[in-house]
Amino acid sequence: MRVHLSNCGSISLMDAHNFRALDVLIEPQPEPQLAQALTRIGTRDGDSHVWLFPQVLRFLACQAADSEWDTGFAAMLAYAQQHGWVNDQGQVRAHITLAAEDQVVSVADFKAAMRALPAGISAVTTGQGKDVAGMIVSSLTSISAEPPMVGFFAHSASSMGDTLLQTGKFVANVLGEEHSQIIASFLSQPQGEARFKEGRWHSSEHQLPVLSDALASMECDIVCTHTLGTHKLVVGKIRKSSCNSANPVVNFNASTHKLVPLAA
């Protein structure tokens, strides 16, 4: 079996039924990111080995109810124990395999492709009083209806990141044609109260900034965050929502566009 540490921040287990080999495949990534990933699966042993937690392997394999797999895994650990590949903490030793290259598109090609993807525009807001914060996103997406959840991506270095996580809540305000000044203000003004001088904002029951005439406003509790590459996925469970009749806009080719219905 092989533990795969991707440079996207994900950890997975490949060949879960191969009990004759165990290694950790690492894609090229910054050392701080790699060090953090390794602490999630075990303890580094120099440049070529890692001591892995067996319970992590069990979790990644998703085979907890498979007695045949459990028997094979136990035999693998017993074999490793006989050869001195299990330490006093019960961790099993695995080789590190470095991926030679990461075949992906360039940043320029990635951005060109994403500019071709029309997407709705929303103002995600959080905090209260002088600590109010907000950002414009085109990544808001529906995740689940039962329970009701939405999510968006924010750069790990976002100026509203700390406030967002400390508050533990956010409002996703879907914007329309009449909100061009709000978009301009959020993109040009420093983080904080200055961004909220344009638009009809009011405080929710939980003192969060809600845009009164947004196409839709969804007040959410953060239930999950996960770092993927340069961004953090933030998922919220919707506690309250409201909708208004308005004309939507989309982000396309790095600019804002109105929607025009196709002729019948």
Side-chain angles (χ1 to χ4, degrees):
M1 60 182 64
R2 163 173 281 182
V3 179
H4 181 205
L5 302 185
S6 79
N7 54 18
C8 299
S10 64
I11 300 175
S12 59
L13 186 67
M14 305 161 61
D15 300 327
H17 289 83
N18 179 10
F19 301 112
R20 292 182 173 273
L22 178 62
D23 74 338
V24 179
L25 177 65
I26 300 174
E27 292 184 352
Q29 56 192 283
E31 181 59 34
Q33 178 179 327
L34 173 59
Q36 183 178 31
L38 288 174
T39 60
R40 295 167 62 189
I41 61 173
T43 307
R44 192 167 188 168
D45 183 16
D47 294 329
S48 56
H49 293 87
V50 179
W51 293 103
L52 300 175
F53 294 113
Q55 58 266 39
V56 171
L57 296 174
R58 290 178 184 276
F59 175 77
L60 293 174
C62 299
Q63 302 291 330
D66 188 333
S67 59
E68 183 178 348
W69 183 91
D70 198 57
T71 298
F73 184 63
M76 184 186 79
L77 293 180
Y79 181 83
Q81 179 81 53
Q82 293 173 4
H83 289 76
W85 299 334
V86 177
N87 64 15
D88 293 339
Q89 288 72 46
Q91 296 170 301
V92 59
R93 199 167 188 241
H95 292 282
I96 287 178
T97 301
L98 299 177
E101 58 182 307
D102 190 17
Q103 295 182 345
V104 294
V105 300
S106 67
V107 173
D109 287 344
F110 168 79
K111 290 183 177 180
M114 291 300 98
R115 281 195 293 269
L117 176 65
I121 302 174
S122 300
V124 174
T125 57
T126 191
Q128 56 183 289
K130 294 183 178 180
D131 294 324
V132 72
M135 65 184 294
I136 297 296
V137 305
S138 57
S139 59
L140 183 69
T141 186
S142 167
I143 293 180
S144 168
E146 298 180 1
M149 294 187 292
V150 293
F152 67 94
F153 286 89
H155 195 282
S156 297
S158 169
S159 59
M160 73 174 285
D162 290 342
T163 303
L164 178 66
L165 296 180
Q166 289 170 9
T167 303
K169 301 175 184 292
F170 68 85
V171 183
N173 303 278
V174 182
L175 305 180
E177 290 181 14
E178 61 272 39
H179 301 130
S180 59
Q181 290 301 316
I182 293 176
I183 297 174
S185 179
F186 270 55
L187 295 177
S188 63
Q189 296 299 318
Q191 189 60 265
E193 294 178 293
R195 295 192 176 186
F196 294 83
K197 293 190 180 299
E198 299 289 342
R200 296 167 52 191
W201 298 97
H202 72 269
S203 293
S204 70
E205 177 184 348
H206 298 288
Q207 303 303 306
L208 297 173
V210 176
L211 184 61
S212 299
D213 59 347
L215 277 74
S217 290
M218 292 159 279
E219 301 173 38
C220 305
D221 291 341
I222 296 177
V223 295
C224 174
T225 63
H226 185 69
T227 299
L228 294 168
T230 58
H231 283 61
K232 186 182 294 292
L233 169 63
V234 181
V235 178
K237 179 184 287 187
I238 306 173
R239 298 300 186 183
K240 183 179 180 181
S241 68
S242 60
C243 297
N244 293 289
S245 177
N247 297 317
V249 290
V250 296
N251 177 56
F252 174 72
N253 199 22
S255 60
T256 303
H257 296 261
K258 299 180 181 180
L259 293 184
V260 178
L262 292 175

